[in-house]
Each structure stands twice: as structure tokens, then as C-alpha cells.
Coordinates of all heavy atoms in Angstrom, one line a residue:
M1 N 13.3 -13.3 -6.6 CA 12.0 -13.2 -7.1 C 11.5 -14.4 -7.8 O 12.4 -15.1 -8.4 CB 12.0 -11.9 -8.2 CG 10.7 -11.7 -8.8 SD 10.7 -10.4 -10.1 CE 10.5 -9.0 -9.1
A2 N 10.2 -14.7 -7.7 CA 9.6 -16.0 -8.2 C 9.7 -15.9 -9.7 O 9.6 -14.9 -10.3 CB 8.2 -16.0 -7.7
K3 N 9.9 -17.1 -10.2 CA 9.8 -17.2 -11.8 C 8.4 -16.9 -12.3 O 7.4 -17.5 -11.8 CB 10.4 -18.5 -12.2 CG 10.5 -18.9 -13.6 CD 10.9 -20.3 -14.0 CE 10.9 -20.6 -15.5 NZ 9.6 -20.6 -16.0
L4 N 8.3 -16.1 -13.3 CA 7.0 -15.8 -13.8 C 6.7 -17.0 -14.7 O 7.3 -17.6 -15.3 CB 7.1 -14.6 -14.8 CG 7.4 -13.3 -14.0 CD1 7.5 -12.2 -15.1 CD2 6.4 -12.9 -13.0
K5 N 5.2 -17.3 -14.7 CA 4.7 -18.4 -15.3 C 4.2 -17.9 -16.7 O 4.0 -16.7 -16.9 CB 3.4 -18.9 -14.6 CG 3.6 -19.6 -13.3 CD 2.4 -20.1 -12.7 CE 2.6 -20.8 -11.4 NZ 1.3 -21.2 -10.7
S6 N 4.3 -18.8 -17.7 CA 3.8 -18.4 -19.0 C 2.2 -18.4 -19.1 O 1.6 -19.0 -18.1 CB 4.2 -19.4 -20.1 OG 3.4 -20.5 -20.2
W7 N 1.5 -17.8 -19.9 CA 0.1 -17.9 -19.9 C -0.4 -19.3 -20.0 O -1.6 -19.5 -19.4 CB -0.4 -17.0 -21.1 CG -0.3 -17.5 -22.4 CD1 0.9 -17.3 -23.2 CD2 -1.0 -18.4 -23.2 NE1 0.8 -17.9 -24.4 CE2 -0.4 -18.6 -24.5 CE3 -2.2 -19.1 -22.9 CZ2 -0.9 -19.5 -25.4 CZ3 -2.8 -19.8 -23.9 CH2 -2.2 -20.1 -25.1
K8 N 0.3 -20.2 -20.6 CA -0.2 -21.6 -20.6 C -0.2 -22.3 -19.3 O -0.9 -23.2 -19.1 CB 0.8 -22.4 -21.6 CG 0.6 -21.9 -23.0 CD 1.6 -22.7 -23.9 CE 1.6 -22.2 -25.4 NZ 2.7 -22.7 -26.1
E9 N 0.6 -21.8 -18.4 CA 0.6 -22.5 -17.0 C -0.4 -21.7 -16.1 O -0.6 -22.3 -15.0 CB 2.0 -22.2 -16.5 CG 3.1 -23.0 -17.2 CD 4.5 -22.5 -16.7 OE1 4.9 -21.4 -17.0 OE2 5.2 -23.4 -16.2
L10 N -1.1 -20.6 -16.5 CA -2.0 -19.9 -15.5 C -3.3 -20.6 -15.5 O -3.6 -21.3 -16.5 CB -2.2 -18.6 -16.1 CG -0.9 -17.5 -16.0 CD1 -1.3 -16.3 -16.6 CD2 -0.5 -17.5 -14.5
P11 N -4.0 -20.7 -14.4 CA -5.4 -21.2 -14.3 C -6.3 -20.5 -15.2 O -6.1 -19.4 -15.6 CB -5.6 -21.1 -12.8 CG -4.8 -20.1 -12.3 CD -3.6 -20.0 -13.0
C12 N -7.3 -21.2 -15.6 CA -8.4 -20.6 -16.6 C -8.8 -19.3 -15.9 O -9.3 -19.2 -14.8 CB -9.5 -21.6 -16.7 SG -10.7 -21.0 -17.8
G13 N -8.9 -18.2 -16.7 CA -9.3 -16.9 -16.2 C -8.3 -16.2 -15.4 O -8.5 -15.1 -14.9
A14 N -7.0 -16.8 -15.3 CA -6.0 -16.2 -14.5 C -6.4 -15.9 -13.1 O -6.0 -14.9 -12.5 CB -5.4 -15.0 -15.2
I15 N -7.2 -16.6 -12.5 CA -7.9 -16.5 -11.2 C -6.7 -16.8 -10.1 O -5.8 -17.6 -10.5 CB -8.9 -17.3 -10.8 CG1 -8.6 -18.8 -10.9 CG2 -10.2 -17.0 -11.6 CD1 -9.6 -19.7 -10.2
I16 N -6.7 -16.2 -9.1 CA -5.6 -16.4 -8.0 C -6.2 -17.5 -7.2 O -7.2 -17.4 -6.4 CB -5.4 -15.1 -7.2 CG1 -4.8 -14.0 -8.1 CG2 -4.4 -15.4 -6.0 CD1 -4.7 -12.6 -7.5
D17 N -5.6 -18.7 -7.3 CA -6.2 -19.8 -6.5 C -5.6 -20.0 -5.2 O -5.9 -20.9 -4.4 CB -6.1 -21.1 -7.4 CG -4.7 -21.3 -7.9 OD1 -3.8 -20.5 -7.5 OD2 -4.6 -22.3 -8.8
D18 N -4.5 -19.3 -4.8 CA -4.0 -19.3 -3.6 C -3.8 -17.8 -3.0 O -3.0 -17.1 -3.4 CB -2.5 -19.8 -3.7 CG -1.8 -19.9 -2.3 OD1 -2.5 -19.5 -1.3 OD2 -0.5 -20.1 -2.4
P19 N -4.8 -17.4 -2.2 CA -4.8 -16.1 -1.6 C -3.5 -15.7 -1.0 O -3.1 -14.5 -0.9 CB -5.8 -16.1 -0.6 CG -6.7 -17.4 -1.0 CD -5.9 -18.4 -1.6
K20 N -2.7 -16.6 -0.4 CA -1.5 -16.2 0.3 C -0.4 -15.8 -0.8 O 0.5 -15.1 -0.4 CB -0.9 -17.4 1.1 CG -1.9 -17.8 2.2 CD -1.1 -18.8 3.2 CE -0.6 -20.1 2.4 NZ -1.6 -20.9 1.8
A21 N -0.6 -16.2 -2.1 CA 0.4 -15.9 -3.2 C 0.5 -14.3 -3.3 O 1.6 -13.9 -3.7 CB 0.0 -16.5 -4.4
V22 N -0.4 -13.5 -3.0 CA -0.4 -12.1 -3.1 C 0.7 -11.5 -2.2 O 1.3 -10.4 -2.4 CB -1.6 -11.5 -2.8 CG1 -2.7 -11.8 -3.8 CG2 -2.2 -11.6 -1.5
L23 N 1.1 -12.2 -1.1 CA 2.1 -11.8 -0.2 C 3.5 -11.8 -0.9 O 4.3 -11.0 -0.5 CB 2.1 -12.6 1.1 CG 0.9 -12.4 2.0 CD1 1.0 -13.5 3.1 CD2 0.8 -11.0 2.5
D24 N 3.7 -12.6 -1.9 CA 4.9 -12.9 -2.6 C 5.1 -11.7 -3.6 O 6.1 -11.4 -4.2 CB 5.0 -14.1 -3.4 CG 5.0 -15.3 -2.4 OD1 5.5 -15.1 -1.2 OD2 4.6 -16.4 -2.7
N25 N 3.9 -11.0 -4.0 CA 4.0 -10.0 -5.1 C 4.1 -8.7 -4.5 O 3.2 -8.0 -4.0 CB 2.7 -10.2 -5.8 CG 2.7 -9.2 -7.2 OD1 3.8 -8.8 -7.6 ND2 1.5 -9.1 -7.7
K26 N 5.4 -8.4 -4.2 CA 5.6 -7.1 -3.6 C 5.5 -5.8 -4.5 O 6.5 -5.5 -5.2 CB 7.0 -7.1 -2.8 CG 7.0 -8.2 -1.8 CD 8.1 -8.1 -0.8 CE 7.9 -9.1 0.3 NZ 8.9 -9.3 1.3
T27 N 4.3 -5.3 -4.5 CA 3.9 -4.3 -5.4 C 4.6 -2.9 -5.3 O 4.5 -2.0 -6.1 CB 2.5 -4.1 -5.6 OG1 2.0 -4.0 -4.2 CG2 1.7 -5.3 -6.2
G28 N 5.3 -2.8 -4.2 CA 5.9 -1.6 -3.8 C 7.1 -1.3 -4.8 O 7.4 -0.1 -5.0
A29 N 7.5 -2.2 -5.6 CA 8.5 -1.9 -6.5 C 8.1 -1.1 -7.7 O 8.8 -0.7 -8.5 CB 9.1 -3.3 -7.1
W30 N 6.7 -1.0 -7.9 CA 6.1 -0.3 -9.0 C 6.1 1.2 -8.7 O 5.8 2.0 -9.7 CB 4.7 -0.7 -9.2 CG 4.5 -2.2 -9.5 CD1 5.5 -3.2 -9.6 CD2 3.2 -2.8 -9.7 NE1 4.9 -4.4 -9.8 CE2 3.5 -4.3 -9.8 CE3 1.9 -2.5 -9.6 CZ2 2.5 -5.2 -10.0 CZ3 0.9 -3.4 -9.9 CH2 1.3 -4.9 -9.9
R31 N 6.3 1.5 -7.5 CA 6.1 2.9 -7.0 C 6.8 4.0 -7.6 O 8.1 3.9 -7.6 CB 6.1 2.9 -5.4 CG 5.5 4.1 -4.7 CD 5.5 3.9 -3.2 NE 6.9 3.5 -2.7 CZ 7.2 2.4 -2.1 NH1 6.3 1.5 -1.9 NH2 8.5 2.2 -1.8
S32 N 6.3 5.1 -8.0 CA 7.1 6.3 -8.4 C 7.0 7.4 -7.4 O 7.6 8.4 -7.5 CB 6.7 6.7 -9.8 OG 5.3 7.1 -10.0
Q33 N 5.6 7.4 -6.6 CA 5.4 8.3 -5.6 C 5.4 7.6 -4.4 O 4.9 6.5 -4.1 CB 4.1 9.0 -5.9 CG 4.1 9.8 -7.2 CD 4.5 11.3 -6.9 OE1 4.0 11.9 -6.1 NE2 5.6 11.7 -7.8
R34 N 5.8 8.2 -3.3 CA 5.8 7.6 -1.9 C 5.0 8.4 -0.9 O 5.3 9.6 -0.8 CB 7.3 7.5 -1.5 CG 7.5 7.2 0.1 CD 9.0 7.2 0.4 NE 9.6 6.0 -0.1 CZ 10.0 4.9 0.6 NH1 9.9 5.0 2.0 NH2 10.5 3.9 0.0
P35 N 4.1 7.8 -0.3 CA 3.4 8.5 0.8 C 4.2 8.7 2.0 O 4.8 7.7 2.5 CB 2.1 7.6 1.1 CG 2.6 6.3 0.7 CD 3.6 6.4 -0.4
C36 N 4.4 9.8 2.6 CA 5.2 10.1 3.6 C 4.1 10.5 4.8 O 3.4 11.4 4.7 CB 6.1 11.3 3.6 SG 7.4 10.8 2.3
W37 N 4.2 9.7 5.9 CA 3.2 9.8 7.0 C 3.8 10.6 8.1 O 5.0 10.3 8.5 CB 2.8 8.5 7.5 CG 2.0 8.3 8.8 CD1 0.6 9.0 8.8 CD2 2.2 7.7 9.9 NE1 0.2 8.8 10.0 CE2 1.1 7.9 10.8 CE3 3.2 7.0 10.5 CZ2 1.0 7.4 12.1 CZ3 3.2 6.5 11.7 CH2 2.1 6.7 12.5
S38 N 3.1 11.5 8.8 CA 3.5 12.2 9.9 C 2.7 11.8 11.1 O 1.6 11.9 11.3 CB 3.2 13.8 9.8 OG 3.3 14.4 11.1
A39 N 3.5 11.1 12.1 CA 2.9 10.5 13.3 C 2.4 11.7 14.2 O 1.3 11.4 14.9 CB 3.8 9.5 14.0
E40 N 3.0 12.8 14.1 CA 2.6 13.8 15.0 C 1.3 14.5 14.4 O 0.3 14.9 15.3 CB 3.7 15.0 14.9 CG 5.0 14.6 15.6 CD 5.8 13.7 14.7 OE1 5.8 13.7 13.5 OE2 6.5 12.9 15.3
K41 N 1.0 14.6 13.1 CA -0.2 15.2 12.6 C -1.4 14.2 12.6 O -2.6 14.6 12.6 CB 0.0 15.7 11.2 CG 1.0 16.9 11.1 CD 1.0 17.2 9.7 CE 2.0 18.4 9.5 NZ 2.1 18.7 8.1
C42 N -1.1 12.9 12.6 CA -2.2 12.0 12.5 C -3.2 11.9 13.6 O -2.8 11.9 14.7 CB -1.6 10.5 12.3 SG -2.7 9.2 12.0
I43 N -4.5 11.9 13.3 CA -5.5 11.8 14.3 C -6.1 10.5 14.4 O -7.1 10.3 15.1 CB -6.7 12.9 14.0 CG1 -7.2 12.7 12.7 CG2 -6.0 14.4 14.3 CD1 -8.5 13.5 12.5
H44 N -5.7 9.4 13.6 CA -5.9 8.0 13.6 C -7.5 7.9 13.3 O -8.2 6.9 13.9 CB -5.6 7.4 15.1 CG -4.1 7.5 15.3 ND1 -3.2 6.8 14.7 CD2 -3.6 8.4 16.2 CE1 -2.1 7.3 15.2 NE2 -2.2 8.2 16.1
C45 N -7.9 8.6 12.3 CA -9.2 8.4 11.8 C -9.4 7.1 11.1 O -10.5 6.6 10.8 CB -9.7 9.6 11.0 SG -8.9 9.8 9.4
L46 N -8.3 6.7 10.5 CA -8.3 5.4 9.8 C -8.9 5.4 8.4 O -9.2 4.5 7.8 CB -8.8 4.2 10.6 CG -8.0 3.9 11.8 CD1 -8.4 2.6 12.5 CD2 -6.5 4.0 11.6
N47 N -9.2 6.6 7.9 CA -9.7 6.7 6.5 C -8.7 6.1 5.5 O -9.1 5.4 4.6 CB -9.8 8.3 6.1 CG -11.0 8.9 6.6 OD1 -12.0 8.2 7.0 ND2 -11.3 10.2 6.3
C48 N -7.4 6.3 5.8 CA -6.4 5.8 4.8 C -6.4 4.3 4.9 O -6.4 3.7 3.8 CB -5.0 6.2 5.1 SG -4.6 6.1 7.0
W49 N -6.6 3.7 6.0 CA -6.8 2.2 6.2 C -7.9 1.6 5.4 O -7.9 0.6 4.7 CB -6.8 1.9 7.6 CG -7.0 0.4 7.8 CD1 -6.0 -0.5 7.8 CD2 -8.1 -0.3 8.5 NE1 -6.6 -1.8 8.2 CE2 -7.8 -1.6 8.5 CE3 -9.4 0.2 8.7 CZ2 -8.8 -2.5 9.0 CZ3 -10.3 -0.7 9.2 CH2 -10.0 -2.0 9.2
I50 N -9.0 2.4 5.5 CA -10.3 1.9 4.8 C -10.1 2.0 3.3 O -10.5 1.0 2.6 CB -11.5 2.8 5.2 CG1 -11.8 2.6 6.7 CG2 -12.6 2.5 4.3 CD1 -12.9 3.5 7.3
F51 N -9.5 3.0 2.9 CA -9.5 3.2 1.5 C -8.3 2.6 0.7 O -8.2 2.5 -0.6 CB -9.6 4.7 1.0 CG -11.0 5.2 1.2 CD1 -11.3 5.9 2.4 CD2 -12.0 4.9 0.2 CE1 -12.7 6.3 2.5 CE2 -13.3 5.4 0.4 CZ -13.6 6.1 1.6
C52 N -7.2 2.3 1.4 CA -6.0 1.9 0.7 C -6.3 0.5 -0.1 O -6.8 -0.5 0.5 CB -4.8 1.6 1.7 SG -3.4 0.9 0.9
P53 N -6.1 0.5 -1.4 CA -6.4 -0.7 -2.2 C -5.5 -1.8 -2.0 O -5.7 -3.0 -2.4 CB -6.5 -0.3 -3.7 CG -5.5 0.9 -3.7 CD -5.7 1.6 -2.2
D54 N -4.3 -1.6 -1.3 CA -3.3 -2.7 -1.2 C -3.1 -3.1 0.2 O -2.2 -3.8 0.6 CB -2.0 -2.1 -1.8 CG -2.0 -2.2 -3.3 OD1 -2.1 -3.2 -3.8 OD2 -2.0 -1.1 -3.9
A55 N -4.0 -2.6 1.3 CA -3.9 -3.0 2.6 C -2.4 -2.7 3.1 O -1.9 -3.5 3.9 CB -4.3 -4.4 2.8
A56 N -2.0 -1.6 2.8 CA -0.6 -1.2 3.0 C -0.5 -0.3 4.3 O 0.6 0.0 4.7 CB 0.1 -0.5 1.9
I57 N -1.6 0.1 4.8 CA -1.6 1.0 6.1 C -1.7 0.0 7.2 O -2.5 -0.8 7.4 CB -2.9 1.8 6.1 CG1 -3.1 2.7 4.9 CG2 -2.9 2.6 7.3 CD1 -1.9 3.8 4.7
M58 N -0.6 0.2 8.1 CA -0.5 -0.7 9.2 C -1.1 -0.1 10.5 O -1.0 1.2 10.7 CB 1.0 -0.9 9.6 CG 1.7 -1.5 8.3 SD 3.5 -1.9 8.7 CE 4.2 -0.4 8.9
V59 N -1.9 -0.9 11.1 CA -2.6 -0.4 12.3 C -2.5 -1.4 13.4 O -2.5 -2.6 13.2 CB -4.3 -0.4 11.8 CG1 -5.1 -0.1 13.1 CG2 -4.4 0.7 10.8
K60 N -2.4 -1.0 14.6 CA -2.3 -1.7 15.8 C -3.2 -1.0 16.9 O -3.0 0.2 17.2 CB -0.9 -1.9 16.3 CG -0.8 -2.9 17.5 CD 0.7 -3.1 17.8 CE 0.7 -4.1 18.9 NZ 2.0 -4.3 19.5
D61 N -4.0 -1.8 17.5 CA -4.8 -1.3 18.6 C -5.6 -0.1 18.2 O -5.8 0.8 18.9 CB -4.0 -1.1 19.8 CG -3.3 -2.3 20.5 OD1 -3.9 -3.4 20.2 OD2 -2.3 -2.1 21.1
G62 N -6.2 -0.2 16.9 CA -7.0 1.0 16.5 C -6.2 2.3 16.1 O -6.9 3.3 15.9
K63 N -5.0 2.1 16.0 CA -4.2 3.4 15.7 C -3.3 3.0 14.5 O -2.7 2.0 14.5 CB -3.4 3.9 16.8 CG -4.3 4.4 18.0 CD -3.5 5.1 19.0 CE -4.4 6.0 19.8 NZ -3.7 6.8 20.8
M64 N -3.1 4.0 13.6 CA -2.3 3.8 12.5 C -0.8 3.8 13.0 O -0.4 4.6 13.8 CB -2.3 4.9 11.4 CG -1.5 4.8 10.3 SD -1.8 6.1 9.1 CE -0.4 5.7 7.9
T65 N 0.1 2.9 12.5 CA 1.3 2.8 12.8 C 2.4 3.0 11.8 O 3.6 3.2 12.1 CB 1.7 1.4 13.5 OG1 1.4 0.4 12.6 CG2 0.9 1.1 14.8
G66 N 1.9 3.1 10.6 CA 2.9 3.4 9.5 C 2.4 2.8 8.2 O 1.2 2.4 8.1
I67 N 3.2 2.7 7.2 CA 2.8 2.3 5.8 C 3.8 1.2 5.5 O 5.0 1.3 5.7 CB 3.1 3.5 4.9 CG1 2.0 4.5 5.2 CG2 2.8 3.0 3.4 CD1 2.2 5.8 4.4
N68 N 3.3 0.1 4.9 CA 4.2 -1.0 4.6 C 4.5 -0.8 3.1 O 3.8 -1.0 2.1 CB 3.3 -2.4 4.7 CG 4.3 -3.4 4.4 OD1 5.2 -3.5 3.7 ND2 3.8 -4.7 5.0
Y69 N 5.7 -0.4 3.0 CA 6.3 0.1 1.6 C 6.6 -1.2 0.7 O 6.8 -1.1 -0.5 CB 7.6 0.9 1.7 CG 7.1 2.2 2.3 CD1 7.6 2.7 3.5 CD2 6.4 3.2 1.5 CE1 7.4 3.9 4.0 CE2 6.1 4.4 2.1 CZ 6.6 4.7 3.3 OH 6.3 6.0 3.9
D70 N 6.5 -2.3 1.2 CA 6.7 -3.6 0.4 C 5.4 -3.8 -0.5 O 5.5 -4.3 -1.6 CB 6.6 -4.8 1.2 CG 8.1 -5.1 1.8 OD1 8.9 -4.4 1.4 OD2 8.2 -6.0 2.7
Y71 N 4.2 -3.3 -0.1 CA 3.0 -3.3 -0.8 C 2.4 -2.1 -1.3 O 1.5 -2.2 -2.2 CB 2.1 -4.2 0.0 CG 2.6 -5.6 0.4 CD1 3.1 -5.8 1.6 CD2 2.7 -6.6 -0.6 CE1 3.6 -7.1 2.0 CE2 3.2 -7.8 -0.2 CZ 3.7 -8.0 1.0 OH 4.3 -9.1 1.3
C72 N 2.8 -0.9 -0.9 CA 2.2 0.4 -1.2 C 2.6 0.6 -2.7 O 3.9 0.6 -3.0 CB 2.7 1.4 -0.2 SG 2.4 3.0 -1.0
K73 N 1.7 0.9 -3.5 CA 1.9 1.2 -5.0 C 2.1 2.6 -5.3 O 2.3 3.1 -6.3 CB 0.9 0.6 -5.9 CG 1.0 -0.9 -6.1 CD 0.2 -1.4 -7.3 CE -1.2 -1.5 -7.3 NZ -1.7 -2.5 -6.4
G74 N 1.8 3.5 -4.2 CA 2.1 4.9 -4.3 C 0.9 5.6 -5.1 O 1.0 6.6 -5.8
C75 N -0.3 5.1 -5.1 CA -1.5 5.5 -5.8 C -1.9 6.9 -5.3 O -2.5 7.6 -5.9 CB -2.7 4.6 -5.8 SG -3.3 4.3 -4.0
G76 N -1.6 7.2 -4.0 CA -2.0 8.6 -3.5 C -3.4 8.6 -2.8 O -3.7 9.6 -2.4
I77 N -4.1 7.5 -2.8 CA -5.5 7.6 -2.3 C -5.4 7.9 -0.8 O -6.3 8.7 -0.4 CB -6.1 6.2 -2.5 CG1 -6.5 6.1 -4.0 CG2 -7.5 6.1 -1.7 CD1 -7.0 4.6 -4.4
C78 N -4.5 7.3 -0.1 CA -4.5 7.6 1.3 C -4.2 9.2 1.5 O -4.9 9.8 2.6 CB -3.2 6.9 2.1 SG -1.7 7.2 1.2
A79 N -3.4 9.8 0.7 CA -3.1 11.2 0.9 C -4.4 12.1 0.7 O -4.8 13.0 1.2 CB -2.0 11.7 0.1
N80 N -5.2 11.6 -0.4 CA -6.4 12.3 -0.7 C -7.5 12.1 0.3 O -8.4 13.1 0.4 CB -6.9 11.7 -2.1 CG -6.2 12.3 -3.2 OD1 -6.1 13.6 -3.2 ND2 -5.8 11.6 -4.1
V81 N -7.7 11.0 1.0 CA -8.6 10.8 2.0 C -8.4 11.3 3.4 O -9.2 11.3 4.2 CB -9.2 9.4 2.0 CG1 -9.7 9.0 0.7 CG2 -8.1 8.4 2.5
C82 N -7.0 11.6 3.6 CA -6.7 12.0 5.0 C -7.3 13.5 5.1 O -7.2 14.3 4.2 CB -5.2 12.3 4.9 SG -4.5 12.7 6.7
P83 N -7.9 13.7 6.2 CA -8.7 14.9 6.4 C -7.8 16.2 5.9 O -6.7 16.3 6.4 CB -9.0 14.9 8.0 CG -9.2 13.5 8.1 CD -8.0 12.8 7.4
T84 N -8.4 17.1 5.3 CA -7.8 18.3 4.8 C -7.1 19.1 5.9 O -6.0 19.6 5.7 CB -8.7 19.3 3.9 OG1 -9.5 18.4 3.1 CG2 -8.1 20.3 3.3
K85 N -7.7 19.2 7.1 CA -7.2 20.1 8.1 C -6.0 19.3 8.6 O -5.2 20.0 9.5 CB -8.2 20.3 9.2 CG -9.3 21.3 8.8 CD -10.2 21.5 9.9 CE -11.3 22.6 9.5 NZ -12.3 22.8 10.5
V86 N -5.8 18.0 8.5 CA -4.8 17.2 9.2 C -3.6 17.2 8.3 O -2.4 17.3 8.6 CB -5.3 15.9 9.6 CG1 -4.2 15.0 10.2 CG2 -6.5 15.9 10.5
Q87 N -3.8 16.6 7.0 CA -2.8 16.4 5.9 C -1.6 15.6 6.5 O -0.5 16.1 6.5 CB -2.3 17.7 5.3 CG -3.5 18.3 4.4 CD -3.1 19.4 3.7 OE1 -2.2 20.2 4.1 NE2 -3.8 19.8 2.6
A88 N -1.9 14.5 7.2 CA -0.8 13.7 7.8 C 0.0 12.9 6.8 O 1.1 12.4 7.1 CB -1.4 12.8 8.9
I89 N -0.5 12.8 5.5 CA 0.2 12.0 4.6 C 0.4 13.0 3.3 O -0.5 13.7 2.9 CB -0.7 10.8 4.1 CG1 -0.8 9.9 5.2 CG2 0.2 10.1 2.9 CD1 -1.7 8.6 4.9
T90 N 1.7 13.1 3.0 CA 2.0 13.9 1.7 C 2.7 13.0 0.8 O 3.4 12.0 1.2 CB 2.9 15.1 2.0 OG1 4.0 14.5 2.8 CG2 2.3 16.1 2.9
M91 N 2.6 13.2 -0.5 CA 3.0 12.3 -1.5 C 4.4 13.0 -2.1 O 4.5 14.1 -2.3 CB 2.3 12.1 -2.7 CG 1.0 11.4 -2.4 SD 1.2 9.8 -1.6 CE 1.8 8.8 -3.1
E92 N 5.5 12.2 -2.0 CA 6.8 12.7 -2.5 C 7.3 11.8 -3.6 O 6.9 10.6 -3.6 CB 7.7 12.7 -1.4 CG 7.3 13.8 -0.4 CD 8.3 13.9 0.8 OE1 9.4 13.2 0.7 OE2 8.1 14.6 1.8
E93 N 8.2 12.3 -4.4 CA 8.8 11.5 -5.5 C 9.7 10.3 -4.8 O 10.4 10.5 -3.8 CB 9.7 12.4 -6.2 CG 10.2 11.6 -7.6 CD 10.9 12.6 -8.5 OE1 10.6 13.7 -8.5 OE2 11.7 12.1 -9.3
E94 N 9.5 9.1 -5.3 CA 10.2 8.0 -4.9 C 11.7 8.1 -5.1 O 12.1 8.4 -6.2 CB 9.7 6.7 -5.5 CG 10.4 5.4 -5.0 CD 10.1 5.1 -3.5 OE1 9.0 5.0 -3.2 OE2 11.1 4.9 -2.8
R95 N 12.6 7.9 -4.1 CA 14.0 8.0 -4.3 C 14.4 6.5 -4.4 O 14.4 5.8 -3.4 CB 14.7 8.6 -3.3 CG 14.2 10.0 -3.0 CD 14.8 10.7 -1.8 NE 14.4 10.1 -0.6 CZ 13.2 10.3 0.0 NH1 12.3 11.2 -0.4 NH2 12.9 9.5 1.1
K96 N 14.9 6.1 -5.6 CA 15.2 4.7 -5.7 C 16.7 4.5 -5.6 O 17.5 5.4 -5.9 CB 14.9 4.1 -7.1 CG 13.4 4.2 -7.4 CD 12.6 2.8 -7.3 CE 11.1 3.1 -7.5 NZ 10.5 2.0 -7.3
Ligands
SF4_101 S1 -0.3 5.4 -1.8 FE1 -1.9 3.9 -2.3 S2 -1.2 2.0 -2.0 FE2 0.2 3.3 -0.8 S3 -0.5 3.4 1.2 FE3 -1.5 5.1 0.2 S4 -3.4 4.3 -0.6 FE4 -2.1 2.5 0.0
SF4_102 S1 -6.2 9.4 7.1 FE1 -4.6 10.7 7.9 S2 -5.3 11.2 10.0 FE2 -6.5 9.5 9.3 S3 -5.4 7.7 10.0 FE3 -4.7 8.0 8.0 S4 -2.9 9.4 8.3 FE4 -4.0 9.5 10.1

């Protein structure tokens, strides 16, 4: 894990001056709930991809392929926006 900087070393306003740096911050370690995706139920509407605040929904050729747990914080938004009749994502307790 990268060494944390003190506040004196941070840029003014704590802005992120290197967009690639977010890749090093694997926010999945914060998760207490885990979204579980069912490939069989998924209709690939991509609501979850649009609304995921962490860009953790993986998509290839216009279809959902899974969830990147390195960056998923377990907020549950994807499960909430998945169509009610489909319910392809369910939230479960994270097993550490
Ligand atoms: S739980 Fe939140 S962060 Fe994780 S995939 Fe769903 S919307 Fe994204
Ligand atoms: S919102 Fe649900 S049905 Fe739509 S792509 Fe995501 S998991 Fe699949």
C-alpha cells in the first residue's frame, strides 16, 4: 500500500492532480456489503453501469460482464437501479 501523505504535502484544496492516481486507491477494502451479480438474470440494460459512482461495473461489447471488487465500495446503488422484475444484483454481507 502506498505511504499516506501528511496534509502539508497535499496540493492546495487537496485536488487530485494525477487522474491515474485513483487506480491505486482500491476502495473495495472499505466494503461491508457485496453486490452479487447473476449473469443468468441480467438483461444488460446497463442501469448499474450508468449509476455506479466508482465505475466498478465491467462492460464489454455493450454487455455487463461483472463487478470489479477492487473498486466497488458496496454502496448498493447498482442493486437499487437494477429493474425490479430482474433483480440481477443482490447485496450480501461481505465475507472478509
Ligand atoms: S455496490 Fe456501489 S460501488 Fe459497488 S458496483 Fe454497485 S454501485 Fe458500484
Ligand atoms: S442493472 Fe441489472 S439487468 Fe441491468 S445490466 Fe445491471 S445487473 Fe444487468
Side-chain angles (χ1 to χ4, degrees):
M1 179 181 277
K3 182 182 175 295
L4 296 177
K5 292 180 179 175
S6 84
W7 66 271
K8 292 176 185 172
E9 297 170 290
L10 295 174
C12 186
I15 59 163
I16 296 173
D17 53 4
D18 176 9
K20 296 188 303 303
V22 296
L23 293 174
D24 296 332
N25 191 14
K26 296 197 172 173
T27 50
W30 306 354
R31 193 176 52 244
S32 61
Q33 296 272 306
R34 165 179 287 248
C36 296
W37 175 61
S38 166
E40 292 75 32
K41 291 182 180 177
C42 181
I43 58 170
H44 304 285
C45 67
L46 301 186
N47 275 357
C48 53
W49 175 74
I50 293 167
F51 286 99
C52 173
D54 285 294
I57 302 294
M58 299 187 294
V59 172
K60 186 173 184 196
D61 298 331
K63 294 196 168 185
M64 181 176 174
T65 59
I67 297 167
N68 186 336
Y69 291 110
D70 278 350
Y71 301 102
C72 165
K73 284 204 283 289
C75 66
I77 291 173
C78 55
N80 275 311
V81 299
C82 187
T84 311
K85 287 183 180 172
V86 179
Q87 292 188 332
I89 300 177
T90 53
M91 299 303 290
E92 295 183 5
E93 192 171 333
E94 180 66 55
R95 301 172 299 278
K96 300 259 178 181

